[in-house]
Amino acid sequence: MAEDDDTKIRILQSLRGKICEAKHLGPNSGPNRLRDLCTFCTISLDQEEVYRTKVFEKSVSPFYSEDFYFEIPRPFQCLSFYVYAKSMFQIRDLPVGKVAIRKEDLYKYCGKENWFQLQPVDPHSEVQGKVHLEMKLNELITENGSVCQQLVVQIIACQGLPLISGQNCDPYATVTLVGPTRSDQKKTKVKKKTSDPQFDETFHFEVTRSSSYKGRSQFHVEEEDIEKLEIKVELWNNGNLAQDVFLGETRVSVKILRNDHVHRAWYLLQPKGNGTKSKPDDLGSLRLKVTYTEDNVLPSACYTALRNLMLKSPDVKPISASAAHVLGDICREGVGYDALLPVVRLLLHHNRLLPFLTAVAALELENTQEANTIFRGNSLATRCIDDMMKIVGRSYLTVTLKPVLNEIFESIKTCEIDPVKLKEGDNVEVNKENLQGYVQKVFTSITQSSSSCPPLMCDVFRSLRQLASKRFPADPHVQYSAVSSFIFLRFFAVAVLSPHTFQLRSHHPDPEISRTLTLISKTIQSLGSWGSLSKNKLSSFKETFMCDFFKLFQEDECIEKVKKFLDEISSNVSKESSGVEDSFVLKEGEIHKRAQGKKRIGKKNFKKRWLRVTNQELSYHKQKGKEALCVIPVKHILGIEKLEESAFNRKNMFQVIHSEKPLYVQASNCVETNSWIEVLSQVSRCNPGRLSTFHLSAYVGGSWLCCKEPNESAPGCKPCTATVLANIQLDIDCDRETERIFSFFSTYRSRLQKMEDVCAGMSVYLGQQEECSAFTIQDPKETFRTIKELGEVLDELQSHHDSKGALTDEPGTIENPIVGKTA
């Protein structure tokens, strides 16, 4: 969904990676040794925690192994990973150490695993936010006619100060003129309950005195002092009865005014300058994999040419000469087929994905010699279909697997059947019975789920089935193996093995449950595999214990169920909906909710609640698993919008506007806020009567805080966020996906040039039938034509980036603040 503003550049950030493991946590010796404590790891954007791993039991070298991915919805300075220790004797978790990476340094670690030494958690280094300053020099004429200089400093505002104990802070600023022989400090008023204070306070500092001044001075006055002076601005949280908390500082040299008598700019706050630090204790190390991506998305019109070229790909013959296939070819040796995901999403949005998948699958089948190896490799076709299933099949997995996975996680049953891995006291027959029960539930849930299979997946499977039958007409089973190799091996079996990756669970399983899931996944793969129907499936197991276990299943009966299921999801008969959709959970978690004020008596305070969103209703509960205190049918939701911070002096708030009073919700952090809004917007966006305007703030004290309108039922004062039809194809930001495609082409431009040279040589000297091993070139002339067109389009888009970038690179703006210095 492109921005309406034709000139605005959107900076979209995302972070993915893995918290792998830690080693030798805590001090090497002494009473603080952590061998008996449980640890966990968190991720913070500046000082806002946005992710937390599970607690790892009693180990100084925990193996966390947790993947993470999230969109970053706001500017930030520093990405930090904290290790905490939980103790039954401590009220608060104990910080063990941290890894802090500045935003500008993230590129150094992109996509690679690195060991980082843990650093101490120092309150003076925990900062975030920015401050807006204005400085100028005035010349004053004294009573006797002499001239002296005066420095005027205005503290205008701050943005993005951290929360203190989960609440907005009470900030104030100190302004100090620092020089070799002076330190004059002044202080602003305290601003209550805000992370974005507006100070607008001005302070005057005498820089030089007139030569006629006869009074005694506490400092030497010389003209050259101006070169050595600097303004230090410190932000503090007023602690009232407690100690004030340092929030950050910046320093600006007065000599910046030599060429300009007025300097006005935004500065990022920095940690306190502590001079040289003593070498910290060895607190251990943390192995991380971090990939930060920043997309500078231009106005939509800039992407028209490249977008059209990519959308034309399904019609290009041969498909290997299309722009989409060329991208996969040139990126294969670099990022593998990761570059294909934005292509899949773009084609999906424009309803062009099915013909493209059909064409690339047909190309792969041309090069497949044996029916039993059909779609088994990691190719362009298989990767595109994998990506498609992950995008459109998310709800399908939730309906099919989530209930039985929840049971596996929550009912602690041992399922180990490997005699070598059995623990003392384990009964292998009981374990085998437990495992068989789980496998049967998963298998039944899958084979009875055809009515929930997304239509696009069914269309692709039908196409694969027809292509396979045409390629291997003598093999009656290949039509099934072409489908089962995706739906079982690459979809359900993978989701069972890694439920966290498919958002079916919030964390990775512990080792015992992970082992259970591995055994279930292996069995499901074999039960669903059509690589062999001659009862030789036992040969696919290398372990004797798995062969014995597999004999417990009636294979003929399972084959019939699989065959029926595959027929249903790949037949030519359109599925008819029963009109009754099963309810499934889309998201749930802990939030703070403002009281609705339905009772005349009682405060409208905030309470901790468990919020739950299904495809049919929104409900909140006192605790997880308790009866619902309130249920709002999804069809009654009229809008989901962010709430202005000033409404309740709280960050990360949004409102659910429905037929009764708005529901005001505070999420735990900025990432969660966006996640809740996205889920609720998607599930309710086709509701009739959705509002076109909303109130950015709350109705408090007899009027709306945003527009001062006294009528509580007055129409909103701000347009609602644009909504689209209920179609997963439209959940995609096409401009961003095209920008990602552009960035991949730009990164591998040298390989694109090499491919162009190969095509030119082949068409002139070798004829059209030859192929180059580094690339897939079936038609050199057509491929050459596509690459030439790509080159022109990429050059034009690069020029747009260059011209737009020149307008936004000026330092000191609110979007591009200056990195302040420290002592």
Side-chain angles (χ1 to χ4, degrees), residues 112-129:
K112 301 174 183 176
E113 288 188 4
N114 294 274
W115 280 100
F116 296 88
Q117 197 70 26
L118 289 177
Q119 302 298 317
V121 177
D122 173 15
H124 284 162
S125 70
E126 310 287 298
V127 303
Q128 71 177 64

Side-chain angles (χ1 to χ4, degrees), residues 149-254:
Q149 285 188 306
Q150 186 183 59
L151 177 65
V152 181
V153 180
Q154 183 183 12
I155 305 294
I156 303 168
C158 286
Q159 269 201 2
L161 297 179
L163 300 178
I164 303 295
S165 301
Q167 301 296 322
N168 282 331
C169 54
D170 296 333
Y172 68 90
T174 61
V175 185
T176 309
L177 179 64
V178 180
T181 56
R182 69 174 85 180
S183 181
D184 303 341
Q185 186 179 91
K186 303 179 188 295
K187 176 182 171 182
T188 68
K189 295 177 182 177
V190 176
K191 298 295 180 180
K192 292 289 186 181
K193 300 298 179 189
T194 177
S195 296
D196 301 319
Q198 191 75 27
F199 290 112
D200 292 319
E201 294 195 40
T202 303
F203 303 102
H204 299 84
F205 297 91
E206 193 175 70
V207 176
T208 63
R209 299 190 188 278
S210 65
S211 57
S212 62
Y213 181 73
K214 303 298 183 184
R216 185 174 179 179
S217 173
Q218 294 183 354
F219 50 84
H220 301 289
V221 179
E222 299 176 3
E223 286 295 333
E224 58 265 26
D225 275 355
I226 294 178
E227 296 291 310
K228 303 173 184 177
L229 296 176
E230 65 180 15
I231 283 293
K232 179 176 73 171
V233 178
E234 292 183 321
L235 271 295
W236 296 84
N237 177 60
N238 182 38
N240 294 319
L241 300 178
Q243 187 175 2
D244 291 357
V245 177
F246 174 76
L247 301 177
E249 69 169 38
T250 191
R251 296 172 182 247
V252 185
S253 176
V254 176

